[in-house]
Amino acid sequence: MSTFQTITLFVFGTIGIVAVIIFANFAGSKGMGYLGDVEMWGTASVELVTPIVKKVNEDNIKLFNLTYTQKNAETFDAELVSALAAGVGPDLFLMPSKEIVRESNKVAKIPFEALGERQFRDTFIDESALYLTDNGILALPLYIDPLVMYWNRDILSSSGVSASPKKWSEFEDIASMVTVSSRLGNISQATVAMGGYKNIGYAKEILTTLFMQGGDPIVVRDTSKTDSTKAIEISQTFAIDPAVVPATIRFYNSFSDPATKGYSWNSELVSSRTAFQSGILGIYFGLASDYNKIKLANPHLNFDVSVMPQRDLAQTKLTYADIYGLAITKNSKNWNGALVVANILTGADISKSWADLLYLPSARRDVLQTGTKDGVMSVFYTSAIIGHGWLDPAPADTNTIFKDMVEVVLSGVKTDEEAARSANSQMKNLISRVVKTL
């Protein structure tokens, strides 16, 4: 983008960002003119997104034309890589925070001259900082999907539990009241799905929440690196501080130990969400996006949702969350149009409309501050505000590391401390290997 001029564009008052500086090289200097077609890829249902795309196009008919293509979440990355390698593909795509490390080399950063770091931080929630680098912004945050606690009202109340737990320390006593098991350890009614891995949805996210609540960020930015897209390293405390990772593994696995008071789960049970939907699990940890899936699977289930439990005496509340942002591809032939569209879509009004259609909270501070009268969404709003993520170097590989860390202890192959040290070594090697490919 050499030989450029600076044009200040006020986008109809919908953005909430006072002005967007667009770098352009237009033939004429008297006006912006028509920016052309902008193509966006995402995994959200095209039926849900179409009304938003239609409204945005109608409101900006003289400025651009936006099209949206729904992609399969399982093949999204492969399709994106293939398209970009062929010199085609979208101008914009929805980039989840857990894919930042892997996808950052496909992104054209938004310079701080277009949107300052201070303004970015003031506009979007704390977790949005994952999209910041030392020389620009990887994506503009759109919505967030936090980890929350679903609980079966009938199971808990029938067992003498009057309210959902607020602290992790409450779970052992609650498990002794709720879990129904035979002398052989067969469970017919479970309290909470923790301990083990294979049949626990979001086991990695649950462990991440526990680690982060204990003060371990898992992965941090490496300030010694000049290339910010490669600036990640394992935290100094991950799997080393016995008060965090080893203690967390011990606590987490205790719920699958028949010898403990908190025994509540085992590998013979169905998946955690299936168990909850079937009415045999009292507490299920899942993403906010699971809410409608649970309602659809069992419309008669009497359940509610709460913010994730916290550690005793914790000064800062925290839960894991996935955040989704709009990123401009390096291959985009319409960078200016893509940036204008991204700003409109992440403005207060459109961002809220998009999030409401998905039944998920917006990533904007002003939208969340306004609040909602919807009881379920209010929990999602609170959880979004305290949501945290991390720069996951390779989600599938780190999932395997977390899985091994839990299962080698359950099988008696390693102690908590040994499993944690092994995970530390594996994580270091993984980060080193991934960074070399970026």
Side-chain angles (χ1 to χ4, degrees):
M1 290 183 291
S2 58
T3 317
F4 59 81
Q5 64 185 41
T6 301
I7 295 177
T8 302
L9 172 66
F10 293 89
V11 193
F12 311 114
T14 64
I15 303 297
I17 299 173
V18 178
V20 182
I21 310 297
I22 306 295
F23 291 92
N25 186 17
F26 295 116
S29 60
K30 293 184 178 180
M32 176 163 293
Y34 187 68
L35 293 173
D37 294 334
V38 176
E39 183 181 1
M40 179 172 69
W41 285 10
T43 57
S45 165
V46 69
E47 288 78 14
L48 287 176
V49 176
T50 294
I52 294 176
V53 172
K54 182 179 178 182
K55 175 174 173 49
V56 168
N57 281 333
E58 288 174 349
D59 290 347
N60 302 279
I61 193 169
K62 295 183 179 181
L63 195 57
F64 57 77
N65 178 63
L66 172 65
T67 59
Y68 174 78
T69 302
Q70 179 185 351
K71 295 293 182 179
N72 187 312
E74 299 299 320
T75 60
F76 184 90
D77 185 63
E79 287 190 64
L80 183 62
V81 170
S82 178
L84 295 181
V88 292
D91 300 291
L92 284 171
F93 69 98
L94 271 171
M95 180 167 68
S97 52
K98 61 187 176 185
E99 298 289 352
I100 287 176
V101 175
R102 187 163 61 176
E103 305 286 10
S104 60
N105 60 357
K106 305 177 183 68
V107 171
K109 295 178 188 175
I110 301 169
F112 288 129
E113 290 84 357
L115 176 60
E117 180 183 350
R118 179 71 274 153
Q119 199 167 23
F120 178 93
R121 290 182 181 274
D122 288 346
T123 302
F124 303 106
I125 57 174
D126 288 350
E127 189 179 353
S128 302
L130 290 173
Y131 290 121
L132 291 174
T133 70
D134 58 351
N135 57 0
I137 301 164
L138 292 169
L140 295 184
L142 184 58
Y143 60 88
I144 186 166
D145 192 2
L147 190 69
V148 295
M149 178 173 66
Y150 296 99
W151 51 286
N152 185 308
R153 284 184 170 275
D154 292 336
I155 288 180
L156 265 62
S157 62
S158 297
S159 302
V161 181
S162 60
S164 62
K166 303 295 187 294
K167 303 289 185 182
W168 292 111
S169 58
E170 301 174 53
F171 276 76
E172 187 176 63
D173 287 337
I174 290 176
S176 67
M177 300 167 67
V178 174
T179 301
V180 177
S181 62
S182 69
R183 285 183 296 177
L184 297 176
N186 298 318
I187 296 173
S188 56
Q189 178 173 284
T191 303
V192 62
M194 288 201 294
Y197 212 92
K198 71 174 185 178
N199 58 347
I200 300 177
Y202 309 114
K204 179 181 172 182
E205 289 79 2
I206 296 167
L207 288 166
T208 295
T209 297
L210 288 164
F211 294 155
M212 288 184 166
Q213 286 180 355
D216 194 326
I218 307 174
V219 167
V220 296
R221 294 191 185 277
D222 183 356
T223 55
S224 68
K225 299 267 181 35
T226 55
D227 185 344
S228 57
T229 61
K230 301 181 180 181
I232 59 170
E233 63 179 354
I234 193 168
S235 75
Q236 294 298 313
T237 56
F238 179 70
I240 299 300
D241 185 349
V244 182
V245 176
T248 295
I249 298 172
R250 193 176 310 118
F251 170 77
Y252 176 84
N253 276 339
S254 68
F255 293 93
S256 62
D257 184 351
T260 67
K261 182 181 178 182
Y263 178 56
S264 173
W265 193 254
N266 63 45
S267 60
E268 301 303 314
L269 291 165
V270 295
S271 70
S272 55
R273 197 174 86 193
T274 298
F276 187 76
Q277 292 169 174
S278 302
I280 61 171
L281 174 63
I283 295 170
Y284 164 70
F285 302 125
L287 293 176
S289 55
D290 281 353
Y291 181 82
N292 285 332
K293 298 172 187 175
I294 295 170
K295 291 284 286 186
L296 183 64
N298 188 351
H300 305 294
L301 190 68
N302 183 18
F303 75 100
D304 209 337
V305 60
S306 300
V307 175
M308 282 292 285
Q310 305 295 310
R311 289 176 177 253
D312 288 348
L313 306 178
Q315 298 299 309
T316 303
K317 291 185 177 181
L318 184 153
T319 187
Y320 173 82
D322 289 324
I323 189 168
Y324 292 79
L326 288 170
I328 304 173
T329 62
K330 281 185 174 180
N331 277 24
S332 173
K333 297 177 176 62
N334 190 1
W335 188 90
N336 301 305
L339 180 55
V340 171
V341 170
N343 272 286
I344 290 176
L345 291 177
T346 56
D349 292 340
I350 301 299
S351 170
K352 185 178 186 305
S353 296
W354 186 300
D356 285 349
L357 283 172
L358 297 175
Y359 206 55
L360 293 171
S362 166
R364 290 184 60 102
R365 293 182 185 276
D366 51 3
V367 173
L368 297 176
Q369 188 63 41
T370 301
T372 174
K373 294 180 181 179
D374 185 314
V376 171
M377 188 63 86
S378 67
V379 173
F380 295 167
Y381 272 35
T382 299
S383 300
I385 293 170
I386 64 172
H388 281 67
W390 56 296
L391 294 171
D392 194 330
D397 293 316
T398 53
N399 186 66
T400 298
I401 291 173
F402 278 43
K403 179 176 180 288
D404 291 346
M405 183 166 49
V406 167
E407 292 185 342
V408 294
V409 174
L410 273 182
S411 62
V413 174
K414 292 181 180 179
T415 65
D416 306 312
E417 289 78 10
E418 290 170 340
R421 284 195 295 271
S422 177
N424 179 282
S425 176
Q426 291 177 64
M427 191 74 79
K428 284 181 178 178
N429 291 335
L430 174 63
I431 291 174
S432 176
R433 188 169 70 249
V434 168
V435 166
K436 289 177 182 178
T437 67
L438 298 178

